Amino acid sequence: MLRNIDPILSPELLHALRAMGHGDEIVIADANFPGSSIGPTCIRADGSSASEMLKAVLSVMPLDTYVPDPALTMQVVGDPGTVPEAVAEFQTIIDATADCPARIQGVERFAFYDRAASAFAIVQTGERRLYGNIILKKGVIG
């Protein structure tokens, strides 16, 4: 255990977050996401929700302030204007936790998968709500 570090941040996840550079992306994924088959290293966090993981990650990782979209979620198939419950909660967490809060941008389902395939890592949570996935772009600490 470490002081001031959320205990759901496993040693493997802390290593990935520390190894990431400015502009690298990490995916926090729900239980239905194809985390193990899409490409990047998949870090399992089955006992955590995506919201808990988002809050923990943002407690140690800055969001990129040099891009307009440092936080991306998957749009609802057939209804891209809908904001799922998980995404609304993600925005509340970003607003309260991120050092530089940003508005979440939605991307089409397959564009989200393509972006996730090139991420630094995927954190596969036990999140059961649909569309409980978010991509974060790492920023810098000034």
Side-chain angles (χ1 to χ4, degrees):
M1 297 293 293
L2 298 170
R3 286 189 197 118
N4 303 318
I5 300 288
D6 192 310
I8 68 171
L9 296 174
S10 68
E12 184 180 14
L13 179 52
L14 284 169
H15 178 267
L17 291 168
R18 179 63 180 96
M20 290 171 64
H22 174 242
D24 282 340
E25 293 180 333
I26 190 161
V27 180
I28 298 172
D30 64 27
N32 289 304
F33 194 80
S36 294
S37 64
I38 204 164
T41 299
C42 183
I43 301 166
R44 302 298 302 203
D46 299 291
S48 302
S49 72
S51 293
E52 292 168 326
M53 188 57 66
L54 175 62
K55 185 175 180 182
V57 167
L58 289 176
S59 75
V60 297
M61 188 191 90
L63 288 178
D64 196 335
T65 58
Y66 295 103
V67 297
D69 57 353
L72 300 169
T73 57
M74 184 186 298
Q75 293 173 338
V76 174
V77 174
D79 193 5
T82 295
V83 178
E85 175 189 340
V87 174
E89 188 171 10
F90 292 165
Q91 187 64 66
T92 299
I93 292 166
I94 288 171
D95 292 344
T97 308
D99 51 350
C100 292
R103 299 302 311 160
I104 294 172
Q105 303 297 314
V107 296
E108 185 272 333
R109 176 184 174 203
F110 292 106
F112 187 93
Y113 288 144
D114 289 343
R115 187 85 169 251
S118 64
F120 190 89
I122 295 171
V123 183
Q124 183 97 48
T125 70
E127 179 64 62
R128 296 176 72 176
R129 293 176 295 179
L130 297 178
Y131 298 97
N133 309 296
I134 188 166
I135 299 173
L136 303 173
K137 185 178 289 286
K138 185 177 184 181
V140 297
I141 297 174

